[in-house]
Amino acid sequence: MVAIGGSYLTTAKDEADDMPIMGEAMNMNTTTTPEKSDPCPNGAAYYIYVGGIIIVLSSLLNIGSKIAKYCAAMDGQISSNEAFCLILLKVASVIMVITDIV
């Protein structure tokens, strides 16, 4: 999703290419080139791009939570500091699940 959304995003460079150069603006005999059109004028490309980033971050956070839980339980007991970090990761995972739904 990130690659698809990113390929259809318009950039500042694309918008700058549409601006006439100073000499061209003063020359009356210049032919106009067809303007580049935005393939997604309603913002769908940006929505897909951001959605893809959120899904990637959510997946990485979930993997990180599972690795942290495994590492914390390797010695057979979870200390208070480890428990606090695991709770923070769990809260972050819940927030990312909510953003996936929205």
Side-chain angles (χ1 to χ4, degrees):
M1 287 177 56
V2 175
I4 292 170
S7 67
Y8 288 106
L9 283 177
T10 58
T11 60
K13 181 181 180 294
D14 292 339
E15 294 170 2
D17 289 342
D18 294 338
M19 299 292 230
I21 299 173
M22 184 63 135
E24 291 177 358
M26 294 182 150
N27 188 0
M28 297 295 185
N29 295 328
T30 60
T31 59
T32 59
T33 58
E35 292 185 23
K36 296 179 184 175
S37 63
D38 187 8
C40 295
N42 61 354
Y46 182 72
Y47 183 79
I48 291 173
Y49 180 71
V50 171
I53 290 173
I54 288 173
I55 288 173
V56 168
L57 289 177
S58 176
S59 298
L60 289 175
L61 188 64
N62 189 19
I63 291 169
S65 294
K66 295 205 185 283
I67 290 172
K69 186 174 182 179
Y70 174 76
C71 290
M74 280 179 63
D75 60 355
Q77 59 184 352
I78 297 177
S79 69
S80 61
N81 290 338
E82 292 171 339
F84 179 74
C85 290
L86 289 175
I87 290 171
L88 284 179
L89 284 171
K90 185 60 92 175
V91 168
S93 294
V94 168
I95 290 171
M96 293 306 287
V97 166
I98 292 170
T99 57
D100 278 344
I101 292 171
V102 174

